Amino acid sequence: MSMACQKCRQQLSLPPHSLLYRCECGNLIPLGNSERSLTVQEHGRFSSKLRRFRDKFRRDSARKNSPSTSPSVSPRLSLIFTKPPPSGKRALLCGVTYKKEKFRLRGTLHDVHSMSDLLVRKFNFSDDSILILAEEEAYKPPTRRNILEAFKWLMEDLKSGDSLVFYFSGHGLRQPDFIDDELDGFDETICPLDFRTNGMISDNDINDILVKPLISGVTLHAIVDSCHSGTVLDLPWVYKENKWTDNRPPSGVNKSTNGGTAIGFSACKDNQLAADTSAFSAEKTMMGAMTYTFIKAIWEIPDITYQGLLDYIHKAIEKVNKARCPLLKVLQRKIDQEPVLSSSENFNTNIRFKL
């Protein structure tokens, strides 16, 4: 099966029996019957709006592939970071609300502010060492272009001893892997604000930009609160059932660092959905289940370990699920997600967590 990409006009050889194909230019091409549905659970961070989200994504992808449509470009898409990043500690925090969409999220801005407060008050990050992308006037919007530019800011002029943090709160998706670098056959992605018109950011992109350039003495912690985020950094090792398991790709391509350390905390396994919920708040404030429990664990247990963080998050979610009213269980959806720890190298998870 072959066709030409409507965006760059490159002739493509498409794999059979697939739903989506991503061209080298970033264009996402829907394949096969557009009415064919994906096999996913319809709860969690997508909640009851998942089907509409999915259908709208397909329709807009099809419109994007039509040569008669050209999306308007807002001046806010332009983002140039003129101020160099400080040495030592620095962080990029992205909260995507998708305000104008039916699949909007309501807890991401709260998540970003909570994470920023944690970095400043607990881990001594300075205000000017934290770059926030969010859908508020005080910040630049978390478009695909802006996030990629912010990645460059985060990784600029690395020096031994630097501690980097990447935090993302928003939607995540999966797409078929065509280059044999995923054990489960799927690439995981994060969804920028404009992902329907300008594409998602894949785990391959994140690994190339944030993981591979890490030099000796530099540590990156990535905290990703989105659906299907378990291996969204494509790191070689994943912590499962209290032991490290090999996540290196079948293709044999190198997915590790250039001597530095990358550690990922993800909201859920690759085949799970992450919850945007008010279940943890007496005031019914919406927030990411993983973000809330992650931050709460660190405040409550000052010397918490990596293992302790995983255990705390798991138990907190389990406790909320058990507390659901038996008569309202149909309305009070179960939070079905397990946090995932991944790394560029094996390490003792009983050491203290620090940024």
Side-chain angles (χ1 to χ4, degrees):
M1 179 179 178
S2 64
M3 65 181 293
C5 175
Q6 294 289 346
K7 184 175 181 180
C8 68
R9 310 309 300 173
Q10 178 181 349
Q11 199 68 27
L12 306 173
S13 296
L14 304 177
H17 312 303
S18 297
L19 296 174
L20 297 170
Y21 181 79
R22 186 167 179 243
C23 178
E24 292 180 359
C25 70
N27 188 26
L28 194 62
I29 303 169
L31 306 177
N33 186 348
S34 62
E35 296 301 315
R36 185 176 174 185
S37 61
L38 299 174
T39 306
V40 292
Q41 295 171 284
E42 299 196 8
H43 68 281
R45 194 130 207 177
F46 283 87
S47 190
S48 61
K49 300 176 182 177
L50 176 57
R51 189 180 299 278
R52 283 179 292 175
F53 166 71
R54 229 168 32 209
D55 294 341
K56 187 175 180 64
F57 172 69
R58 291 196 187 104
R59 289 196 302 271
D60 290 341
S61 293
R63 279 200 295 270
K64 178 191 172 187
N65 291 331
S66 170
S68 62
T69 61
S70 56
S72 60
V73 179
S74 165
R76 295 190 72 193
L77 284 173
S78 176
L79 178 60
I80 300 174
F81 300 111
T82 55
K83 187 176 181 180
S87 59
K89 296 186 176 188
R90 57 181 179 264
L92 167 62
L93 313 181
C94 299
V96 197
T97 304
Y98 316 93
K99 274 186 176 181
K100 298 179 181 179
E101 307 291 352
K102 292 181 180 178
F103 49 83
R104 69 173 296 179
L105 297 171
R106 300 185 183 277
T108 54
L109 186 62
H110 181 276
D111 291 345
V112 163
H113 288 161
S114 298
M115 186 60 66
S116 177
D117 180 67
L118 178 76
L119 294 179
V120 171
R121 294 203 293 128
K122 175 66 177 178
F123 295 107
N124 299 316
F125 280 66
S126 62
D127 288 329
D128 64 355
S129 72
I130 300 174
L131 176 62
I132 296 177
L133 300 182
E135 292 163 74
E136 296 294 324
E137 285 300 320
Y139 311 114
K140 291 290 185 180
T143 62
R144 187 176 193 274
R145 177 179 176 181
N146 285 357
I147 292 175
L148 293 177
E149 286 292 325
F151 279 174
K152 295 177 185 178
W153 174 89
L154 185 67
M155 303 300 291
E156 185 179 337
D157 193 24
L158 297 179
K159 295 181 177 64
S160 181
D162 285 350
S163 175
L164 314 178
V165 174
F166 167 56
Y167 172 77
F168 179 85
S169 179
H171 281 310
L173 287 171
R174 306 174 88 192
Q175 58 189 22
D177 160 44
F178 301 127
I179 57 176
D180 199 31
D181 71 345
E182 294 284 348
L183 292 176
D184 61 1
F186 288 93
D187 284 316
E188 285 67 48
T189 70
I190 58 174
C191 298
L193 176 61
D194 58 346
F195 76 97
R196 292 189 292 108
T197 54
N198 289 315
M200 298 175 281
I201 299 176
S202 73
D203 48 10
N204 295 320
D205 298 328
I206 296 172
N207 186 273
D208 286 340
I209 301 171
L210 297 186
V211 175
K212 289 180 180 176
L214 294 170
I215 61 174
S216 180
V218 177
T219 301
L220 166 75
H221 282 84
I223 303 155
V224 183
D225 196 346
S226 65
C227 298
H228 312 298
S229 55
T231 62
V232 75
L233 267 71
D234 262 0
L235 295 176
W237 299 96
V238 176
Y239 195 68
K240 295 180 181 178
E241 298 177 356
N242 296 328
K243 64 181 179 180
W244 290 104
T245 59
D246 194 338
N247 189 52
R248 286 173 289 190
S251 64
V253 65
N254 180 28
K255 292 283 187 175
S256 196
T257 69
N258 188 29
T261 302
I263 298 173
F265 265 101
S266 302
C268 59
K269 295 179 179 179
D270 287 337
N271 63 348
Q272 291 180 325
L273 304 179
D276 191 40
T277 180
S278 62
F280 296 94
S281 170
E283 296 79 22
K284 298 303 176 184
T285 302
M286 294 294 288
M287 60 191 75
M290 183 264 194
T291 299
Y292 175 80
T293 52
F294 180 90
I295 292 174
K296 190 170 188 286
I298 293 172
W299 282 124
E300 287 188 0
I301 309 172
D303 295 326
I304 196 166
T305 64
Y306 288 84
Q307 181 70 58
L309 268 170
L310 289 174
D311 293 342
Y312 187 103
I313 295 169
H314 179 80
K315 290 176 182 177
I317 291 175
E318 191 177 60
K319 182 179 179 181
V320 163
N321 284 332
K322 287 182 178 179
R324 290 181 303 157
C325 175
L327 299 177
L328 297 176
K329 282 191 175 182
V330 175
L331 299 176
Q332 296 175 336
R333 294 182 182 275
K334 182 180 179 181
I335 301 174
D336 188 15
Q337 65 184 79
E338 295 179 40
V340 176
L341 176 66
S342 59
S343 178
S344 57
E345 58 193 48
N346 294 354
F347 68 91
N348 180 3
T349 58
N350 289 313
I351 63 172
R352 181 182 177 184
F353 174 82
K354 61 179 181 179
L355 298 175

